[in-house]
Amino acid sequence: MALKRGMLIVFEGNDRVGKSTQAKKLVEWFKTNGKLAQFVQFPDRSTPIGSLINQYLKGEQKMHDNSIHLLFTANRWEKFDEMNAALRSGQMVIVDRYSYSGVAYTVSKGIADYEWCRGPEKGLLKPDCVIFLSSDIKMLQNRGDFGKEVYETSEFQSSVRDVYMKLMEPNWNVIDANRNIEEIHQDIVKVVEDKLPNLQQEILKLW
Ligand code: NYM
Ligand code: MG
């Protein structure tokens, strides 16, 4: 039976690892293959909450660590209805960062445990596919613009990577990001092509 809903695909990984580039390439791949697909990015800096997050990340606005965590989560809830509707109408939704980023970055600060961080994420849409772009932190440091935002120090990024490893579920797809853009893209396409025929109609909730 033909699938009536779209697939929710999430990209995760450290800063500057190439998530946005690959997510956008995947959107284009779907479109050239005759599927409707949209790109969603978290944080979505275009909303009022996103604008506060942006100021925090640029170091222009101080914020309590627990508060900024909740703002990132609220920013995802803002997009819930739109993402839900798109998926149910058959569109692919390709997301650059999701709840796993929320947990990984806040747990790395050492101010809250997994349970606290996960709590407000509960009930968001569960991804059908998580693609983790994996890289050595040393490689990321050398990429353009590394260091421009608050979390971009190699020490913090190493700890974020450690937390990601703990969060990782068996169905995550780990892709080596230290290769050229096309090679990485081809690997991602293989993962997605593999998953598409086995998609269930029901959209599950997170945690
Ligand atoms: N970030 C992103 C969080 O700390 N929590 C979240 O829930 C999300 C979605 O924002 N350093 C952090 C990770 C990044 C920063 O994201 C900005 P990006 O993808 O670099 O624009
Ligand atoms: Mg970044």
Side-chain angles (χ1 to χ4, degrees), residues 164-194:
Y164 267 131
M165 294 301 146
K166 290 184 190 143
L167 282 176
M168 198 171 278
E169 290 161 16
N171 61 348
W172 281 27
N173 303 276
V174 180
I175 304 273
D176 174 8
N178 291 327
R179 292 172 302 154
N180 75 55
I181 291 174
E182 271 319 309
E183 269 182 277
I184 299 169
H185 173 65
Q186 289 310 323
D187 273 8
I188 292 168
V189 165
K190 271 187 225 138
V191 166
V192 169
E193 278 179 327
D194 230 47

Side-chain angles (χ1 to χ4, degrees), residues 17-35:
V17 78
K19 295 178 299 302
S20 308
T21 304
Q22 291 297 336
K24 286 175 187 162
K25 273 184 84 70
L26 189 60
V27 169
E28 289 317 307
W29 178 82
F30 273 121
K31 287 182 178 167
T32 43
N33 285 282
K35 300 255 191 327

Side-chain angles (χ1 to χ4, degrees), residues 132-146:
F132 181 77
L133 294 182
S134 175
S135 167
D136 213 58
I137 304 302
K138 280 203 192 81
M139 302 290 288
L140 305 175
Q141 268 178 287
N142 300 328
R143 294 198 173 170
D145 285 344
F146 184 89

Side-chain angles (χ1 to χ4, degrees), residues 37-191:
Q38 60 170 273
F39 173 72
V40 175
Q41 187 165 36
F42 292 117
D44 175 351
R45 304 185 194 217
S46 72
T47 70
I49 292 172
S51 157
L52 274 173
I53 294 172
N54 183 50
Q55 287 171 40
Y56 171 81
L57 289 169
K58 299 237 172 302
E60 297 161 6
Q61 174 70 54
K62 284 214 163 54
M63 200 97 66
H64 192 276
D65 287 323
N66 296 69
S67 298
I68 186 67
H69 177 86
L70 294 170
L71 288 181
F72 276 114
T73 309
N75 189 230
R76 280 184 279 282
W77 280 106
E78 288 189 291
K79 299 288 271 193
F80 179 92
D81 290 344
E82 195 186 318
M83 287 168 64
N84 196 23
L87 289 166
R88 285 173 201 281
S89 76
Q91 283 199 49
M92 309 293 164
V93 179
I94 320 300
V95 189
D96 178 3
R97 291 194 184 279
Y98 202 52
S99 304
Y100 311 103
S101 285
V103 177
Y105 282 75
T106 300
V107 166
S108 293
K109 291 177 167 178
I111 54 108
D113 60 18
Y114 287 80
E115 202 186 337
W116 188 88
C117 291
R118 271 181 175 159
E121 307 286 333
K122 202 171 165 178
L124 285 171
L125 302 171
K126 187 182 166 82
D128 299 298
C129 178
V130 178
I131 293 168
F132 181 77
L133 294 182
S134 175
S135 167
D136 213 58
I137 304 302
K138 280 203 192 81
M139 302 290 288
L140 305 175
Q141 268 178 287
N142 300 328
R143 294 198 173 170
D145 285 344
F146 184 89
K148 280 209 170 152
E149 293 199 334
V150 290
Y151 298 137
E152 295 180 355
T153 66
S154 44
E155 200 188 5
F156 191 73
Q157 293 292 322
S158 294
S159 118
V160 167
R161 190 180 155 79
D162 292 345
V163 181
Y164 267 131
M165 294 301 146
K166 290 184 190 143
L167 282 176
M168 198 171 278
E169 290 161 16
N171 61 348
W172 281 27
N173 303 276
V174 180
I175 304 273
D176 174 8
N178 291 327
R179 292 172 302 154
N180 75 55
I181 291 174
E182 271 319 309
E183 269 182 277
I184 299 169
H185 173 65
Q186 289 310 323
D187 273 8
I188 292 168
V189 165
K190 271 187 225 138
V191 166

